Amino acid sequence: MDCASGERVPRETERPVTEADAPGKVILFGEHAVVYGRPALAVPVHRVRAWATVEQAAEAVTLRAEDLGLEHRLGDGAPDPRVRPLVDLLRRTADTLEISLPPLTVTLRSDIPISRGLGSGAAVATALVRGVSLHLGRSLPAASVSELVYEAEVAYHGMPSGIDNTVISLERPIHFAKGRPPLPVDPGTPLTLVIGDTGVESPTRKIVEEVRRGWRQARSRYESVFDRIGELSEQAVRLLEQGAIVDLGKTMDANHQLLIELEVSSEPLNRLVTAARASGAAGAKLTGAGRGGCVVALAGPDSAGEVAKALEAAGAGWVSVTRVG
Ligand code: PMV
């Protein structure tokens, strides 16, 4: 049985087609340390997004993941492991709404580079939950969306901190620590961020496991690095609220140095960070799990173009300028 148990939604409450979307994200401070309970700071990236289109269908419930070239009809055996967490999420969304899924087709797509630390998985999952609930005439609070998406994140990444699903479902800068309600942060001045992609995949689960191995072998050294990263995150929240861009940039540089100490940076990441700083960025660091993926640079509104050019010249395959606040 594919439909969640519960009351069948009257067809009148269903729309023929529903669109929903969700942004990407960058972690500005605190990746990895956040897995060990330290605070972090993340912001949504509206320039890149994931979309869900939900359409009435004749008989089956079908999930299409366009970017992966995969389609699964519920009830047709086991889904491909790459879409299984999304199929499960579709079912759990219906369970949370306490309604049966009517025949529908959910199509998912995204322009967020995959496996680059920009939250593509959490954004696609968030768009799915928003699209399906809206299509069925209900709207879920951001906290419920975030909880549902967290389960999909667990399936993809192991034991994530929960920062991605939280910042993407709230769509606001957040001061985040595991087990605490997220605190929205209001930037004192808008931030201009330039994101540059090394083009190298950054598999979160693998890198988090490698950091865990290092932590087991040198626990007190890792704990002390995590403590220092946590302190930088706390300082950064205050600097962001004050709009102290220059000091915020220096704090990003310090965070990047600690990520180098954790051995999650790489030559291409360091090259992009150096290029961003040399072209006038107030600061720059890797973002996300590291080893590959993206850097994020803090630019002034007038220097963003120069920083973007410098990142391209230093080998970034994809560059995006985004404003926060
Ligand atoms: O690579 P991303 O964007 O999934 O970010 C990973 C952030 C980590 O702190 C390394 C892991 C986590 O669960 O917070």
Side-chain angles (χ1 to χ4, degrees):
M1 168 96 171
D2 288 313
C3 297
S5 59
E7 172 207 348
R8 172 75 174 79
V9 171
R11 297 291 290 182
E12 309 81 76
T13 67
E14 291 163 27
R15 305 154 172 227
V17 183
T18 307
E19 293 266 4
D21 65 357
K25 71 97 205 350
V26 284
I27 299 178
L28 282 185
F29 292 91
E31 48 274 273
H32 289 293
V34 70
V35 175
Y36 296 79
R38 276 38 166 219
L41 174 59
V43 299
V45 175
H46 295 285
R47 284 299 287 268
V48 288
R49 298 195 83 78
W51 295 270
T53 306
V54 187
E55 294 163 272
Q56 279 180 359
E59 42 184 29
V61 177
T62 306
L63 184 83
R64 280 194 197 130
E66 271 191 359
D67 304 318
L68 302 174
L70 292 172
E71 179 169 313
H72 179 75
R73 237 169 98 117
L74 273 71
D76 277 3
D80 183 289
R82 286 169 293 170
V83 290
R84 176 190 283 277
L86 295 170
V87 171
D88 291 345
L89 180 60
L90 183 54
R91 289 199 172 99
R92 281 187 300 100
T93 301
D95 286 348
T96 301
L97 295 168
E98 299 184 326
I99 53 184
S100 303
L101 279 174
L104 47 80
T105 301
V106 182
T107 304
L108 302 170
R109 71 199 159 82
S110 147
D111 65 6
I112 307 171
I114 296 175
S115 205
R116 300 295 202 280
L118 298 181
S120 69
V124 165
T126 302
L128 181 154
V129 174
R130 287 178 174 167
V132 170
S133 48
L134 203 59
H135 188 76
L136 299 176
R138 309 277 183 93
S139 100
L140 284 170
S144 310
V145 175
S146 181
E147 256 173 53
L148 281 162
V149 172
Y150 180 73
E151 294 302 320
E153 289 282 284
V154 168
Y156 280 121
H157 299 308
M159 280 302 287
S161 62
I163 191 167
D164 284 18
N165 48 289
T166 306
V167 66
I168 288 172
S169 60
L170 286 176
E171 297 206 26
R172 292 187 63 181
I174 53 156
H175 181 192
F176 177 91
K178 267 196 326 193
R180 274 198 341 219
L183 300 170
V185 181
D186 284 322
T189 189
L191 298 186
T192 306
L193 300 176
V194 188
I195 301 165
D197 181 10
T198 58
V200 179
E201 283 205 356
S202 168
T204 305
R205 179 194 283 262
K206 181 166 170 279
I207 299 160
V208 168
E209 279 170 9
E210 285 166 5
V211 171
R212 174 75 62 185
R213 264 200 295 280
W215 174 78
R216 282 204 196 96
Q217 283 164 13
R219 203 176 276 224
S220 66
R221 185 169 77 78
Y222 274 67
E223 285 291 332
S224 129
V225 175
F226 295 150
D227 279 343
R228 276 142 69 205
I229 293 177
E231 284 158 18
L232 292 180
S233 298
E234 295 286 358
Q235 280 169 22
V237 169
R238 289 191 291 275
L239 293 170
L240 179 58
E241 283 170 344
Q242 290 160 10
I245 298 292
V246 172
D247 286 343
L248 193 61
K250 286 186 192 145
T251 313
M252 286 171 77
D253 291 347
N255 193 160
H256 184 70
Q257 192 53 42
L258 292 167
L259 291 165
I260 292 175
E261 283 188 35
L262 289 180
E263 294 174 21
V264 294
S265 195
S266 66
E267 193 280 321
L269 285 166
N270 292 340
R271 186 168 6 106
L272 295 188
V273 162
T274 304
R277 290 177 190 155
S279 65
K285 62 182 276 293
L286 72 84
T287 183
R291 299 267 160 86
C294 290
V295 301
V296 56
L298 179 59
D302 302 331
S303 63
E306 285 306 309
V307 175
K309 268 194 239 154
L311 288 175
E312 275 164 13
W318 176 91
V319 173
S320 182
V321 178
T322 190
R323 298 252 294 177
V324 177

